[in-house]
Amino acid sequence: MTVFEDESGRSRETTGAGSTSWIGSPHPAVVADRDGGVVEFNAAAADLFPRMRVGTWLDEVVPGWLADAHRRLARTTRAPVAAATARAEPAPLRGSHDGRLLRAHPTESGHGDVAWWLVDDSDLTAAQDALRTERERHAILAEASTQLLASLNPDRCLEKAALLAADHLGDAALVISPPVRNRYAVVTAMAGGFERTQVTLDPAVVPGLAEALQGFPPVPARWIDPAELPSWAVPENFGGPPGSVAITSLPGHGVPAGALILLRRGGRRAFDASEELFARLFAARAGAALSAARLYAEQARITRALIAELLPPRLHHVDGVDFAGGYRTSQDTERIGGDFYDVHPGTEDGRETLAVLGDVCGKGLDAAVLTGRIRSTVHALLPLAGDHGNVLRLLNGALLTARHTRFATLVLASVLRTGGRVRLRLTSAGHPRPLVLRATGEVEEADTGGTLVGALPVVTSRSATVDLSPGETCLLYTDGITEARGGPLGSAMFGEDRLRSALAECVGLPAEAIVERVQMIAGDWVGRGPHDDMAVVAITAPHTTHLSAVNGHTRGRYTA
């Protein structure tokens, strides 16, 4: 131990803290007796506490939290040296001084003196706080990405972006969409609620808004005067004018997805650079989600429009003849495929109605595109529909000059009502022959045939004429019906014989009921197994008719 005299002339011994080696420690160290008098200190402690002198009281030179801790510790120091050595070392405590965060470690000497070692934790605490903040922000961004991408509805995505921004970035948030006919969709969110409005506004009125809507880097929040905000930019229940405003762009896929305005109430600190950067990171995720939702919505709109044109039409009663059609794609998740049918009413009295049913090689969207081309071509050839061979020749030429290599089979049926009977001219181009259900229950096969279209330079065909008496039906179908595999073992082909039997049971039924019956039996046969596209059209001569004048002409019309 070292013996010295303090300012009062009293002889004192240093603590076992040792020798003088601790005097040169870069960490502040102070030794005080049981009463709180300073016994020793090093140069680092003198720099930290400039008024410190040997013999002064801790209360006069160190922060109150440290002096109080010393008094509490000194009161518990009563045991001799050996006992003091056996006691566990007191835990460190923390406090602040002159803007620094200090960690104090006490060491008892056993004689009542306590040595306090001080460590500056300011940088460590700041780093820990920064790490905690970054972890929280990372969690917020992860949550935002999950919630924003959970919906591909643009309106819901806008609402969710505003709510998340209000919850985590400011006291209120506004998400502004790009203008549509000079009107802006604005979603205002605050305290878990939101409001949608349509606003006609001048972006230049709000500093930084015009730039944000164009995708330019944001204007620093310190440059924006909250007092310049228009009334629409501040929620009614915000509780006074905002104290700080931050505006940033919502980056999209190639074009801006909008802008984000963040509001913070007065009395709170302004947005700092770190918060503005975090807002930009959030805006990047929100903008990407909004762009994805809008792109999906636009693609869905286009898809709906195209599918509406590619879907088979709903058939009905045309010029005194009943038509009904049914269609099932190879995949239940798809709406269009490679089978198709159409019915084109005659444009003049006495002109035949043309029914077309076909099957394109392949399945899915690619096949559906070709069905659309064939249907459009046939529609353009309607003035020539009286000559089936010529129609098939021209259609074959159109398919051969196209860039695809697919082919198709189809059957043409020209239908005309004469009195109580219906006459059909049927022409098959590589397609299964139509079946005719007679009133007796007998099922006949139309004597027609020909080569498929889109594969060979020349097509050949043979037409057949069929007359239907009231209640009789002609059934057009694709090979998806007859080639459907299923049954008890799951591998047997449905076949034409089963189709004939099913059709024979439909004597006297209307066209729509026959189609439903055939589809139901074929569907039950397939079950959940794979199958090709299935299409079927029934052409039925009605049992009773009623003649009425339409535009000065007489036409047969079916009555229930």
Side-chain angles (χ1 to χ4, degrees):
M1 296 185 181
T2 303
V3 181
F4 69 94
E5 290 185 354
D6 61 19
E7 292 179 348
S8 63
R10 295 179 296 173
S11 295
R12 299 294 303 270
E13 292 179 347
T14 63
T15 67
S19 60
T20 57
S21 60
W22 64 274
I23 296 296
S25 171
H27 297 289
V30 180
V31 180
D33 60 22
R34 182 178 298 158
D35 297 326
V38 176
V39 176
E40 285 183 284
F41 58 92
N42 63 4
D47 291 339
L48 183 61
F49 307 115
R51 296 187 301 158
M52 182 168 289
R53 300 288 185 275
V54 174
T56 57
W57 302 105
L58 283 179
D59 287 337
E60 299 173 355
V61 294
V62 300
W65 59 269
L66 182 56
D68 292 340
H70 180 82
R71 281 192 294 270
R72 291 194 300 270
L73 186 60
R75 285 197 297 268
T76 63
T77 307
R78 295 288 187 270
V81 177
T85 303
R87 284 198 301 268
E89 183 177 342
L93 66 151
R94 289 176 170 81
S96 61
H97 172 69
D98 196 21
R100 304 181 184 181
L101 297 175
L102 302 177
R103 175 163 41 92
H105 294 265
T107 301
E108 301 178 34
S109 68
H111 298 283
D113 292 346
V114 178
W116 290 96
W117 295 84
L118 303 175
V119 180
D120 189 344
D121 277 349
S122 300
D123 293 340
L124 176 60
T125 302
Q128 290 173 338
D129 290 342
L131 179 60
R132 182 171 55 255
T133 299
E134 289 304 315
R135 285 175 175 171
E136 292 174 352
R137 289 177 175 177
H138 177 77
I140 292 171
L141 293 178
E143 177 191 0
S145 297
T146 300
Q147 295 196 29
L148 289 170
L149 295 175
S151 173
L152 289 175
N153 182 293
D155 292 338
R156 292 183 181 275
C157 199
L158 276 173
E159 296 163 3
K160 183 57 66 175
L163 288 170
L164 287 169
D167 289 342
H168 301 295
L169 305 181
D171 296 319
L174 290 83
V175 177
I176 304 175
S177 297
V180 178
R181 292 186 293 274
N182 295 325
R183 290 183 63 82
Y184 295 78
V186 180
V187 178
T188 304
M190 188 178 66
F194 68 90
E195 178 184 7
R196 295 182 59 90
T197 56
Q198 292 285 335
V199 181
T200 301
L201 57 90
D202 180 8
V205 174
V206 182
L209 180 57
E211 293 81 357
L213 287 171
Q214 297 177 51
F216 292 114
V219 173
R222 63 180 182 277
W223 293 3
I224 303 176
D225 183 1
E228 296 183 5
L229 291 181
S231 58
W232 61 263
V234 182
E236 294 182 0
N237 55 345
F238 190 67
S244 181
V245 180
I247 301 176
T248 186
S249 177
L250 296 174
H253 297 157
V255 295
L260 173 66
I261 299 179
L262 300 173
L263 306 179
R264 183 168 284 174
R265 291 188 176 90
R268 296 186 59 189
R269 62 181 177 82
F271 291 102
D272 58 26
S274 174
E275 290 172 321
E276 290 184 69
L277 177 60
F278 178 58
R280 294 177 66 178
L281 293 175
F282 173 87
R285 284 163 171 76
L290 284 169
S291 289
R294 288 169 181 158
L295 179 62
Y296 175 81
E298 178 64 15
Q299 291 177 339
R301 185 187 67 81
I302 295 173
T303 301
R304 287 194 298 271
L306 294 177
I307 287 180
E309 291 298 318
L310 294 175
L311 283 175
R314 182 177 178 82
L315 303 186
H316 51 82
H317 190 80
V318 179
D319 290 340
V321 181
D322 283 341
F323 291 88
Y327 181 61
R328 179 180 177 181
T329 59
S330 59
Q331 298 292 331
D332 292 336
T333 56
E334 296 178 350
R335 299 181 61 195
I336 53 178
D339 288 4
F340 66 95
Y341 57 79
D342 269 317
V343 171
H344 304 280
T347 56
E348 301 175 2
D349 282 342
R351 194 178 184 93
E352 298 169 317
T353 295
L354 179 66
V356 184
L357 180 138
D359 183 2
V360 169
C361 173
K363 303 175 184 179
L365 181 60
D366 291 338
V369 171
L370 183 55
T371 65
R373 183 189 297 273
I374 294 175
R375 293 171 67 187
S376 298
T377 303
V378 171
H379 190 273
L381 296 176
L382 283 179
L384 307 177
D387 186 347
H388 288 183
N390 194 27
V391 170
L392 294 176
R393 180 180 62 81
L394 294 173
L395 176 61
N396 185 67
L399 294 181
L400 288 176
T401 57
R403 58 184 177 86
H404 59 77
T405 58
R406 296 178 181 271
F407 57 86
T409 67
L410 69 156
V411 59
L412 305 178
S414 293
V415 185
L416 182 64
R417 175 71 176 267
T418 55
R421 300 176 66 85
V422 174
R423 169 157 292 188
L424 291 85
R425 284 190 303 110
L426 303 169
T427 304
S428 172
H431 201 81
R433 296 179 180 182
L435 298 178
V436 179
L437 174 62
R438 296 301 183 184
T440 60
E442 182 183 0
V443 177
E444 302 174 356
E445 187 177 75
D447 185 19
T448 177
T451 57
L452 51 80
V453 294
L456 302 174
V458 178
V459 294
T460 59
S461 61
R462 182 180 73 258
S463 299
T465 300
V466 174
D467 290 329
L468 300 180
S469 299
E472 296 182 338
T473 297
C474 177
L475 187 73
L476 315 179
Y477 62 94
T478 61
D479 58 12
I481 298 288
T482 53
E483 295 180 2
R485 294 186 178 275
L489 300 179
S491 59
M493 189 176 295
F494 186 72
E496 188 173 324
D497 290 340
R498 288 188 178 87
L499 177 60
R500 287 171 173 266
S501 299
L503 184 60
E505 298 173 356
C506 298
V507 175
L509 295 180
E512 187 171 352
I514 294 175
V515 168
E516 290 180 358
R517 175 68 176 170
V518 171
Q519 281 189 306
M520 181 187 69
I521 293 176
D524 290 344
W525 182 262
V526 170
R528 296 181 178 272
H531 60 85
D532 199 354
D533 298 329
M534 300 179 182
V536 58
V537 171
I539 306 171
T540 301
H543 287 284
T544 58
T545 60
H546 169 69
L547 297 180
S548 62
V550 180
N551 297 328
H553 301 285
T554 301
R555 287 189 177 183
R557 187 179 64 190
Y558 175 71
T559 58

